[in-house]
Amino acid sequence: DPNPGADPGADPDPGADPNPGADPDPGPGADPDPGPGADPGSCSGNSVERKIYIPLNRTAPCVRLLNATHQIGCQSSLSGDTGVIHVVENATDLDWALSTGPHPPYMILLDGKLFSREILMRLKGNPRISGLAVAAVSPAPSGGFSPGLKCPNDGFGVYSQDYGPQFSHCNGSAWNPAGSGLSYEDFPFPIFLLEDANETQVIKECYRAHNVPREGSAPQFPLCAMQLLAHMHAAASTVTCMRRSSLQSTFSINPEIVCDPLLDYNVWSSLHPINSSGKVDPGQQLILAATRLDSHSFFWNVAPGAEASVGSFVALLAAAEALQAAPGSRRLPRNVLFAFFQGETFDYIGSSRMVFDMEQEKFPLRLENIGAFLELGQVSLRQDSVLWMHTDPVSRQNRSVDSQVRDLLAALVNSSSGSGVSVREPGFSQPLPPSSFQRFLRSRRLPGVVLSDHRAAFQNK
């Protein structure tokens, strides 16, 4: 079951505790003993919480996700995790929190430039760490950052021991060399991004005032601490969590849903009308133009898409609008189906569902109706106005498929003439990049092309 479940239990509003030893005295305007004759309506008081905590308002949490076998992401304990703040501005600062400091657990405030797999894996296995707050970097690191895999959706595409084994597991094609795989690790403590530099500065000032060792000796209480709350009820795997939710809703008067399925909708439309309740004639072939809508980020809703998916679905929408308005489009010999897939980041959920529906005849089209497949991959960062045409070398070993692919490539080259954008083939044998087209090839050998701004590895950093 490649469908992960997203946990709804995150509370993305952590609080920074600048001084847990603060005096909870309600203030000079409040009399703790108003006396028997006092008017209760005239009492005044201040919140103790407001005296102790400074709330952080601009934050983004790392949340938990599940698949059929694993849990990934981050979570806090039920009431949140608290620790003494330790600011880390270079790698050597970690030693204090990991081994030397006398007041564990520690809550790390990490400079965003140090946010890497190496640092996080050092923190992950240490019981002295209760959480991590990451200061946002501005401008973004020139080397880029990717929490994804070096081989996105590895194992869920078309290449396997039975189909192009020489290309399986991105063998010879590291599509995402910057991928750290952090999004697929399970962290036992909360991790938040601090998006406001002013809030980060407040925490650092509190740290300097209370937590920095004086004259070589460890600081004494009161110390500056931080509390992060992002509890996730989901655990173990999708199967386990959905079963727990089902039991809760069946037998409990006040059910507590512990996880939600990660659901959305594919969106499709055609140039010529298609009866959604009927079936297209088996002999009628059309062009399927596709792209994806979704993306995955380490911190919730921070830089969604980062141009990788945004550019492609905007371009396909623009193409659909232009083709619909073009004179003579109704007289084209082939219909065009525009498809926008959701959930492709997570094991190609969207395209897998459309293929399944076609095979089960729950969709107006069958796989046999697809005469050509054209997919827009990453198209935002093209250099010298060049787009690369990627094809599948395994299916092209079939003469009929190869002939149709050549016709498709020739049509793309001809249509690009005079447009200011040129299209080229990579010039060497390589597999398809991560794409929805791979899920269709798993069921039927179709002629198809994936357009992208990268010849080999992703340009998008």
Side-chain angles (χ1 to χ4, degrees):
D1 177 7
N3 187 357
D7 188 293
D11 180 356
D13 183 18
D17 179 356
N19 186 358
D23 184 359
D25 184 351
D31 184 352
D33 184 10
D39 180 3
S42 64
C43 289
S44 62
N46 295 321
S47 169
V48 173
E49 181 180 359
R50 292 181 183 178
K51 286 176 172 286
I52 298 177
Y53 290 95
I54 297 176
L56 302 176
N57 298 312
R58 292 191 57 197
T59 64
C62 161
V63 300
R64 169 161 287 178
L65 295 171
L66 309 169
N67 66 9
T69 56
H70 293 79
Q71 62 184 33
I72 59 176
C74 322
Q75 78 151 0
S76 73
S77 58
L78 185 60
S79 57
D81 292 311
T82 303
V84 174
I85 295 174
H86 183 65
V87 175
V88 175
E89 295 180 330
N90 58 70
T92 57
D93 292 337
L94 277 176
D95 296 336
W96 179 267
L98 294 177
S99 59
T100 310
H103 303 301
Y106 284 96
M107 190 71 68
I108 302 296
L109 174 58
L110 185 69
D111 188 292
K113 296 178 182 178
L114 299 176
F115 189 71
S116 65
R117 181 179 181 86
E118 179 186 2
I119 296 292
L120 264 69
M121 297 311 287
R122 288 182 66 188
L123 300 176
K124 177 180 177 180
N126 196 305
R128 292 168 57 91
I129 305 302
S130 60
L132 176 64
V134 182
V137 179
S138 182
S142 59
F145 173 76
S146 173
L149 300 172
K150 294 183 184 298
C151 183
N153 281 342
D154 186 20
F156 293 93
V158 67
Y159 301 109
S160 64
Q161 294 303 314
D162 300 322
Y163 188 100
Q166 68 274 28
F167 301 126
S168 62
H169 307 299
C170 295
N171 186 25
S173 302
W175 296 108
N176 187 30
S180 63
L182 282 177
S183 284
Y184 297 88
E185 292 290 339
D186 181 28
F187 294 97
F189 48 74
I191 302 179
F192 278 77
L193 178 69
L194 306 181
E195 300 182 88
D196 190 333
N198 292 329
E199 293 182 347
T200 302
Q201 189 59 33
V202 168
I203 299 172
K204 288 184 176 181
E205 290 174 357
C206 186
Y207 164 78
R208 296 187 188 106
H210 298 276
N211 294 10
V212 176
R214 307 295 179 187
E215 300 178 355
S217 60
Q220 299 300 316
F221 285 99
L223 299 174
C224 188
M226 182 185 295
Q227 182 182 37
L228 298 179
L229 174 61
H231 181 66
M232 305 286 162
H233 293 288
S237 68
T238 298
V239 177
T240 302
C241 198
M242 297 302 286
R243 182 175 66 246
R244 288 171 57 201
S245 287
S246 177
L247 290 172
Q248 285 274 352
S249 59
T250 302
F251 298 106
S252 176
I253 299 177
N254 298 311
E256 182 182 64
I257 303 300
V258 294
C259 59
D260 286 332
L262 186 62
L263 297 176
D264 215 305
Y265 294 92
N266 291 330
V267 180
W268 64 271
S269 184
S270 59
L271 185 62
H272 303 160
I274 292 178
N275 184 357
S276 60
S277 61
K279 291 288 185 291
V280 174
D281 186 272
Q284 182 180 346
Q285 291 196 330
L286 49 73
I287 298 170
L288 199 159
T291 190
R292 66 188 180 100
L293 294 173
D294 66 299
S295 62
H296 184 203
S297 56
F298 188 87
F299 295 107
W300 188 256
N301 279 344
V302 175
E307 297 180 331
S309 60
V310 175
S312 59
F313 79 70
V314 169
L316 190 59
L317 280 173
E321 182 182 33
L323 191 58
Q324 180 70 27
S329 62
R330 296 284 179 174
R331 298 189 297 274
L332 290 174
R334 285 190 178 184
N335 197 359
V336 181
L337 182 76
F338 298 96
F340 300 83
F341 297 122
Q342 277 282 14
E344 295 301 272
T345 304
F346 300 104
D347 312 337
Y348 303 118
I349 294 173
S351 54
S352 299
R353 180 56 188 256
M354 181 173 281
V355 171
F356 176 81
D357 287 346
M358 287 181 174
E359 292 176 333
Q360 300 298 315
E361 297 193 357
K362 297 179 180 179
F363 194 79
L365 304 176
R366 302 174 181 86
L367 290 170
E368 293 80 358
N369 293 120
I370 302 175
F373 196 107
L374 177 63
E375 180 172 352
L376 295 187
Q378 299 184 21
V379 295
S380 300
L381 303 175
R382 60 183 186 273
Q383 294 179 341
D384 302 322
S385 297
V386 175
L387 288 177
W388 298 95
M389 301 182 292
H390 299 274
T391 58
D392 173 41
V394 179
S395 62
R396 291 187 66 178
Q397 294 175 5
N398 179 289
R399 288 187 178 182
S400 175
V401 173
D402 183 61
S403 175
Q404 295 177 74
V405 171
R406 290 180 182 276
D407 292 341
L408 183 55
L409 294 174
L412 288 169
V413 171
N414 291 335
S415 66
S416 67
S417 177
S419 67
V421 177
S422 62
V423 290
R424 302 176 188 172
E425 291 187 75
F428 49 87
S429 180
Q430 66 176 11
L432 287 167
S435 53
S436 305
F437 182 38
Q438 293 198 33
R439 293 299 295 191
F440 285 80
L441 282 174
R442 286 180 61 151
S443 296
R444 184 179 177 84
R445 298 196 176 191
L446 301 169
V449 175
V450 177
L451 289 177
S452 74
D453 58 20
H454 54 91
R455 185 184 186 187
F458 296 160
Q459 286 193 68
N460 193 305
K461 296 183 180 181

